[in-house]
Amino acid sequence: MLTAVIRSAGSTEALAATFSVLIPAVADGFLGHAVVLDAAGEATIERIADATGASYLRAGSTDSWPAGAAQARGDWLLLLEEGDVPQAHWPQAVERHLLLAPDRPALIPLRGFAQSLRERAGVSFGPHRLRAGLVLPKSHALSGRLGAAPQRLSVGRERAAG
């Protein structure tokens, strides 16, 4: 089962955009759970999490991914920032990756030249740290680090304005 862990800075519009893409995956049985990490402590963010059936956790940005992983019900996680909108057919791309490379993390890359370039540089040359767009085993997220560089998936994600 896959759990989405979504970091929020308080934008209800951006969070709603992310959930609009995740809810069909829940209906299809691919996504089993979501955890919303709220750095701002906004009551509206907590209400959105509650309305969608997601777990809500107040967590600062430095410890949020591992804290969200601890609340996750699934063995695999999809890490997202509020406003992240994976493209159509993202569940199929993730499912295929899990079948073909079940021990390797994956990345749903950002679309757009500048954003994609920054993300590629961070993944390729930086430390293997947790970031939005990753699909990874829960154990990696709990440790706060990736074991290896993630495989880029064929679908991307865009960032909705918030």
Side-chain angles (χ1 to χ4, degrees), residues 15 36 50 54 57 59 65-66 69-70 75 85 91 95 104 127 130 138 145-147 150 152 154-155 161:
L15 185 59
V36 175
D50 185 53
L57 182 63
W65 295 127
D75 294 328
V85 180
E95 186 172 36
R104 187 171 177 196
L130 303 180
K138 181 177 180 176
R145 293 186 51 82
L146 297 176
R152 290 175 54 87
S154 59
V155 296

PDB file of all heavy atoms in Angstrom, residues 15 36 50 54 57 59 65-66 69-70 75 85 91 95 104 127 130 138 145-147 150 152 154-155 161:
ATOM      1  N   LEU A  15      -3.019  22.851  -1.512  1.00  0.00           N
ATOM      2  CA  LEU A  15      -3.299  21.530  -0.948  1.00  0.00           C
ATOM      3  C   LEU A  15      -4.485  20.877  -1.654  1.00  0.00           C
ATOM      4  O   LEU A  15      -4.455  19.681  -1.969  1.00  0.00           O
ATOM      5  CB  LEU A  15      -3.561  21.635   0.554  1.00  0.00           C
ATOM      6  CG  LEU A  15      -3.744  20.314   1.299  1.00  0.00           C
ATOM      7  CD1 LEU A  15      -2.513  19.415   1.149  1.00  0.00           C
ATOM      8  CD2 LEU A  15      -4.031  20.579   2.772  1.00  0.00           C
ATOM      9  N   VAL A  36      -0.932  14.624   6.107  1.00  0.00           N
ATOM     10  CA  VAL A  36      -0.670  16.035   5.843  1.00  0.00           C
ATOM     11  C   VAL A  36       0.189  16.573   6.980  1.00  0.00           C
ATOM     12  O   VAL A  36      -0.185  16.482   8.151  1.00  0.00           O
ATOM     13  CB  VAL A  36      -1.984  16.843   5.731  1.00  0.00           C
ATOM     14  CG1 VAL A  36      -1.685  18.328   5.574  1.00  0.00           C
ATOM     15  CG2 VAL A  36      -2.823  16.335   4.576  1.00  0.00           C
ATOM     16  N   ASP A  50      -8.872  16.315   7.515  1.00  0.00           N
ATOM     17  CA  ASP A  50      -9.967  15.548   8.105  1.00  0.00           C
ATOM     18  C   ASP A  50     -11.039  15.211   7.074  1.00  0.00           C
ATOM     19  O   ASP A  50     -11.529  14.084   7.006  1.00  0.00           O
ATOM     20  CB  ASP A  50     -10.573  16.323   9.276  1.00  0.00           C
ATOM     21  CG  ASP A  50     -11.631  15.521  10.001  1.00  0.00           C
ATOM     22  OD1 ASP A  50     -11.335  14.378  10.410  1.00  0.00           O
ATOM     23  OD2 ASP A  50     -12.756  16.035  10.154  1.00  0.00           O
ATOM     24  N   ALA A  54      -7.387  12.037   5.552  1.00  0.00           N
ATOM     25  CA  ALA A  54      -5.941  12.004   5.772  1.00  0.00           C
ATOM     26  C   ALA A  54      -5.624  12.218   7.244  1.00  0.00           C
ATOM     27  O   ALA A  54      -6.384  12.853   7.976  1.00  0.00           O
ATOM     28  CB  ALA A  54      -5.255  13.083   4.940  1.00  0.00           C
ATOM     29  N   LEU A  57      -0.733  16.074  10.971  1.00  0.00           N
ATOM     30  CA  LEU A  57       0.364  16.151  11.919  1.00  0.00           C
ATOM     31  C   LEU A  57       0.991  17.530  11.839  1.00  0.00           C
ATOM     32  O   LEU A  57       1.321  18.011  10.759  1.00  0.00           O
ATOM     33  CB  LEU A  57       1.414  15.078  11.588  1.00  0.00           C
ATOM     34  CG  LEU A  57       2.620  14.974  12.495  1.00  0.00           C
ATOM     35  CD1 LEU A  57       2.214  14.587  13.912  1.00  0.00           C
ATOM     36  CD2 LEU A  57       3.594  13.948  11.930  1.00  0.00           C
ATOM     37  N   ALA A  59       4.082  19.548  12.111  1.00  0.00           N
ATOM     38  CA  ALA A  59       5.510  19.231  12.089  1.00  0.00           C
ATOM     39  C   ALA A  59       6.275  20.333  11.378  1.00  0.00           C
ATOM     40  O   ALA A  59       5.852  20.802  10.324  1.00  0.00           O
ATOM     41  CB  ALA A  59       5.749  17.903  11.374  1.00  0.00           C
ATOM     42  N   TRP A  65       9.525  15.010   7.012  1.00  0.00           N
ATOM     43  CA  TRP A  65       9.413  13.773   6.236  1.00  0.00           C
ATOM     44  C   TRP A  65       9.477  12.540   7.138  1.00  0.00           C
ATOM     45  O   TRP A  65       8.598  11.675   7.044  1.00  0.00           O
ATOM     46  CB  TRP A  65      10.476  13.689   5.145  1.00  0.00           C
ATOM     47  CG  TRP A  65      10.404  14.713   4.059  1.00  0.00           C
ATOM     48  CD1 TRP A  65      11.416  15.534   3.655  1.00  0.00           C
ATOM     49  CD2 TRP A  65       9.289  15.046   3.203  1.00  0.00           C
ATOM     50  NE1 TRP A  65      10.990  16.337   2.613  1.00  0.00           N
ATOM     51  CE2 TRP A  65       9.699  16.059   2.323  1.00  0.00           C
ATOM     52  CE3 TRP A  65       7.979  14.575   3.110  1.00  0.00           C
ATOM     53  CZ2 TRP A  65       8.870  16.606   1.349  1.00  0.00           C
ATOM     54  CZ3 TRP A  65       7.137  15.125   2.153  1.00  0.00           C
ATOM     55  CH2 TRP A  65       7.579  16.121   1.288  1.00  0.00           C
ATOM     56  N   PRO A  66      10.484  12.406   8.022  1.00  0.00           N
ATOM     57  CA  PRO A  66      10.488  11.230   8.901  1.00  0.00           C
ATOM     58  C   PRO A  66       9.273  11.171   9.843  1.00  0.00           C
ATOM     59  O   PRO A  66       8.748  10.100  10.114  1.00  0.00           O
ATOM     60  CB  PRO A  66      11.788  11.367   9.690  1.00  0.00           C
ATOM     61  CG  PRO A  66      12.678  12.179   8.797  1.00  0.00           C
ATOM     62  CD  PRO A  66      11.753  13.148   8.119  1.00  0.00           C
ATOM     63  N   ALA A  69       6.474   9.872   7.798  1.00  0.00           N
ATOM     64  CA  ALA A  69       6.674   8.439   7.551  1.00  0.00           C
ATOM     65  C   ALA A  69       6.251   7.616   8.755  1.00  0.00           C
ATOM     66  O   ALA A  69       5.682   6.530   8.598  1.00  0.00           O
ATOM     67  CB  ALA A  69       8.138   8.171   7.216  1.00  0.00           C
ATOM     68  N   ALA A  70       6.508   8.126   9.941  1.00  0.00           N
ATOM     69  CA  ALA A  70       6.110   7.397  11.149  1.00  0.00           C
ATOM     70  C   ALA A  70       4.595   7.251  11.252  1.00  0.00           C
ATOM     71  O   ALA A  70       4.097   6.284  11.830  1.00  0.00           O
ATOM     72  CB  ALA A  70       6.665   8.102  12.389  1.00  0.00           C
ATOM     73  N   ASP A  75       3.776   0.700   3.250  1.00  0.00           N
ATOM     74  CA  ASP A  75       5.200   0.354   3.253  1.00  0.00           C
ATOM     75  C   ASP A  75       5.997   1.211   2.276  1.00  0.00           C
ATOM     76  O   ASP A  75       7.215   1.263   2.348  1.00  0.00           O
ATOM     77  CB  ASP A  75       5.380  -1.120   2.883  1.00  0.00           C
ATOM     78  CG  ASP A  75       4.793  -2.039   3.941  1.00  0.00           C
ATOM     79  OD1 ASP A  75       4.805  -1.669   5.128  1.00  0.00           O
ATOM     80  OD2 ASP A  75       4.320  -3.125   3.567  1.00  0.00           O
ATOM     81  N   VAL A  85       1.298  18.441  -8.371  1.00  0.00           N
ATOM     82  CA  VAL A  85       0.238  17.793  -9.142  1.00  0.00           C
ATOM     83  C   VAL A  85       0.891  16.810 -10.114  1.00  0.00           C
ATOM     84  O   VAL A  85       1.359  17.217 -11.184  1.00  0.00           O
ATOM     85  CB  VAL A  85      -0.607  18.836  -9.907  1.00  0.00           C
ATOM     86  CG1 VAL A  85      -1.702  18.167 -10.714  1.00  0.00           C
ATOM     87  CG2 VAL A  85      -1.194  19.861  -8.942  1.00  0.00           C
ATOM     88  N   PRO A  91      -0.103   6.843 -11.325  1.00  0.00           N
ATOM     89  CA  PRO A  91      -0.165   5.572 -10.590  1.00  0.00           C
ATOM     90  C   PRO A  91       0.405   4.396 -11.399  1.00  0.00           C
ATOM     91  O   PRO A  91       1.075   3.526 -10.839  1.00  0.00           O
ATOM     92  CB  PRO A  91      -1.660   5.378 -10.315  1.00  0.00           C
ATOM     93  CG  PRO A  91      -2.230   6.754 -10.333  1.00  0.00           C
ATOM     94  CD  PRO A  91      -1.434   7.464 -11.398  1.00  0.00           C
ATOM     95  N   GLU A  95       3.435   2.104 -10.171  1.00  0.00           N
ATOM     96  CA  GLU A  95       3.199   0.663 -10.037  1.00  0.00           C
ATOM     97  C   GLU A  95       4.207  -0.136 -10.860  1.00  0.00           C
ATOM     98  O   GLU A  95       4.755  -1.137 -10.399  1.00  0.00           O
ATOM     99  CB  GLU A  95       1.774   0.333 -10.467  1.00  0.00           C
ATOM    100  CG  GLU A  95       1.394  -1.107 -10.220  1.00  0.00           C
ATOM    101  CD  GLU A  95      -0.080  -1.353 -10.475  1.00  0.00           C
ATOM    102  OE1 GLU A  95      -0.650  -0.747 -11.393  1.00  0.00           O
ATOM    103  OE2 GLU A  95      -0.654  -2.180  -9.736  1.00  0.00           O
ATOM    104  N   ARG A 104      14.541   0.082  -5.219  1.00  0.00           N
ATOM    105  CA  ARG A 104      15.141   1.366  -5.570  1.00  0.00           C
ATOM    106  C   ARG A 104      14.114   2.485  -5.480  1.00  0.00           C
ATOM    107  O   ARG A 104      13.006   2.358  -5.983  1.00  0.00           O
ATOM    108  CB  ARG A 104      15.676   1.288  -7.000  1.00  0.00           C
ATOM    109  CG  ARG A 104      16.449   2.496  -7.409  1.00  0.00           C
ATOM    110  CD  ARG A 104      17.124   2.288  -8.731  1.00  0.00           C
ATOM    111  NE  ARG A 104      17.811   3.503  -9.124  1.00  0.00           N
ATOM    112  CZ  ARG A 104      18.227   3.747 -10.340  1.00  0.00           C
ATOM    113  NH1 ARG A 104      18.041   2.854 -11.288  1.00  0.00           N
ATOM    114  NH2 ARG A 104      18.839   4.872 -10.620  1.00  0.00           N
ATOM    115  N   PRO A 127      23.620  15.422  -1.583  1.00  0.00           N
ATOM    116  CA  PRO A 127      23.425  14.247  -0.728  1.00  0.00           C
ATOM    117  C   PRO A 127      22.081  13.593  -1.050  1.00  0.00           C
ATOM    118  O   PRO A 127      21.155  14.252  -1.517  1.00  0.00           O
ATOM    119  CB  PRO A 127      23.429  14.834   0.686  1.00  0.00           C
ATOM    120  CG  PRO A 127      23.043  16.254   0.504  1.00  0.00           C
ATOM    121  CD  PRO A 127      23.540  16.671  -0.850  1.00  0.00           C
ATOM    122  N   LEU A 130      15.896  13.331   1.496  1.00  0.00           N
ATOM    123  CA  LEU A 130      14.488  13.276   1.146  1.00  0.00           C
ATOM    124  C   LEU A 130      14.052  14.578   0.498  1.00  0.00           C
ATOM    125  O   LEU A 130      14.502  15.651   0.893  1.00  0.00           O
ATOM    126  CB  LEU A 130      13.650  12.993   2.395  1.00  0.00           C
ATOM    127  CG  LEU A 130      14.006  11.716   3.154  1.00  0.00           C
ATOM    128  CD1 LEU A 130      13.099  11.551   4.360  1.00  0.00           C
ATOM    129  CD2 LEU A 130      13.949  10.496   2.263  1.00  0.00           C
ATOM    130  N   LYS A 138       9.196   3.073   3.168  1.00  0.00           N
ATOM    131  CA  LYS A 138       8.978   3.770   4.436  1.00  0.00           C
ATOM    132  C   LYS A 138      10.255   3.770   5.284  1.00  0.00           C
ATOM    133  O   LYS A 138      10.578   4.762   5.928  1.00  0.00           O
ATOM    134  CB  LYS A 138       7.824   3.106   5.182  1.00  0.00           C
ATOM    135  CG  LYS A 138       7.468   3.739   6.486  1.00  0.00           C
ATOM    136  CD  LYS A 138       6.272   3.033   7.101  1.00  0.00           C
ATOM    137  CE  LYS A 138       5.873   3.628   8.416  1.00  0.00           C
ATOM    138  NZ  LYS A 138       4.648   2.996   8.948  1.00  0.00           N
ATOM    139  N   ARG A 145      17.212   9.455   4.900  1.00  0.00           N
ATOM    140  CA  ARG A 145      18.133   9.451   3.768  1.00  0.00           C
ATOM    141  C   ARG A 145      17.803   8.316   2.815  1.00  0.00           C
ATOM    142  O   ARG A 145      17.317   7.277   3.210  1.00  0.00           O
ATOM    143  CB  ARG A 145      19.578   9.286   4.230  1.00  0.00           C
ATOM    144  CG  ARG A 145      20.080  10.477   5.013  1.00  0.00           C
ATOM    145  CD  ARG A 145      21.543  10.391   5.347  1.00  0.00           C
ATOM    146  NE  ARG A 145      22.422  10.104   4.244  1.00  0.00           N
ATOM    147  CZ  ARG A 145      22.867  11.002   3.369  1.00  0.00           C
ATOM    148  NH1 ARG A 145      22.480  12.240   3.454  1.00  0.00           N
ATOM    149  NH2 ARG A 145      23.710  10.654   2.415  1.00  0.00           N
ATOM    150  N   LEU A 146      18.151   8.548   1.557  1.00  0.00           N
ATOM    151  CA  LEU A 146      17.997   7.506   0.538  1.00  0.00           C
ATOM    152  C   LEU A 146      19.234   6.619   0.543  1.00  0.00           C
ATOM    153  O   LEU A 146      20.336   7.069   0.828  1.00  0.00           O
ATOM    154  CB  LEU A 146      17.866   8.132  -0.847  1.00  0.00           C
ATOM    155  CG  LEU A 146      16.651   9.020  -1.088  1.00  0.00           C
ATOM    156  CD1 LEU A 146      16.740   9.637  -2.469  1.00  0.00           C
ATOM    157  CD2 LEU A 146      15.387   8.209  -0.948  1.00  0.00           C
ATOM    158  N   GLY A 147      19.046   5.374   0.185  1.00  0.00           N
ATOM    159  CA  GLY A 147      20.191   4.484   0.067  1.00  0.00           C
ATOM    160  C   GLY A 147      20.937   4.690  -1.236  1.00  0.00           C
ATOM    161  O   GLY A 147      22.132   4.461  -1.323  1.00  0.00           O
ATOM    162  N   PRO A 150      17.650   8.072  -6.848  1.00  0.00           N
ATOM    163  CA  PRO A 150      16.378   7.555  -7.352  1.00  0.00           C
ATOM    164  C   PRO A 150      16.341   7.451  -8.869  1.00  0.00           C
ATOM    165  O   PRO A 150      17.042   8.191  -9.570  1.00  0.00           O
ATOM    166  CB  PRO A 150      15.356   8.584  -6.854  1.00  0.00           C
ATOM    167  CG  PRO A 150      16.142   9.840  -6.714  1.00  0.00           C
ATOM    168  CD  PRO A 150      17.531   9.435  -6.336  1.00  0.00           C
ATOM    169  N   ARG A 152      14.459   8.173 -12.248  1.00  0.00           N
ATOM    170  CA  ARG A 152      13.470   9.142 -12.736  1.00  0.00           C
ATOM    171  C   ARG A 152      12.368   8.391 -13.458  1.00  0.00           C
ATOM    172  O   ARG A 152      12.637   7.588 -14.338  1.00  0.00           O
ATOM    173  CB  ARG A 152      14.127  10.150 -13.673  1.00  0.00           C
ATOM    174  CG  ARG A 152      15.061  11.109 -12.954  1.00  0.00           C
ATOM    175  CD  ARG A 152      15.802  12.014 -13.914  1.00  0.00           C
ATOM    176  NE  ARG A 152      14.932  12.730 -14.809  1.00  0.00           N
ATOM    177  CZ  ARG A 152      14.354  13.910 -14.548  1.00  0.00           C
ATOM    178  NH1 ARG A 152      14.570  14.485 -13.382  1.00  0.00           N
ATOM    179  NH2 ARG A 152      13.592  14.503 -15.430  1.00  0.00           N
ATOM    180  N   SER A 154       8.835   8.182 -15.860  1.00  0.00           N
ATOM    181  CA  SER A 154       8.472   8.775 -17.157  1.00  0.00           C
ATOM    182  C   SER A 154       7.381   9.844 -17.050  1.00  0.00           C
ATOM    183  O   SER A 154       7.152  10.580 -17.993  1.00  0.00           O
ATOM    184  CB  SER A 154       8.015   7.678 -18.121  1.00  0.00           C
ATOM    185  OG  SER A 154       6.890   6.997 -17.566  1.00  0.00           O
ATOM    186  N   VAL A 155       6.714   9.927 -15.925  1.00  0.00           N
ATOM    187  CA  VAL A 155       5.714  10.981 -15.722  1.00  0.00           C
ATOM    188  C   VAL A 155       6.338  12.077 -14.879  1.00  0.00           C
ATOM    189  O   VAL A 155       7.297  11.840 -14.145  1.00  0.00           O
ATOM    190  CB  VAL A 155       4.422  10.452 -15.034  1.00  0.00           C
ATOM    191  CG1 VAL A 155       3.724   9.457 -15.900  1.00  0.00           C
ATOM    192  CG2 VAL A 155       4.730   9.883 -13.671  1.00  0.00           C
ATOM    193  N   ALA A 161      -0.112  26.925  -8.393  1.00  0.00           N
ATOM    194  CA  ALA A 161       0.078  28.175  -7.645  1.00  0.00           C
ATOM    195  C   ALA A 161      -0.734  28.099  -6.367  1.00  0.00           C
ATOM    196  O   ALA A 161      -1.822  27.562  -6.334  1.00  0.00           O
ATOM    197  CB  ALA A 161      -0.356  29.358  -8.490  1.00  0.00           C
TER     198      ALA A 161
END
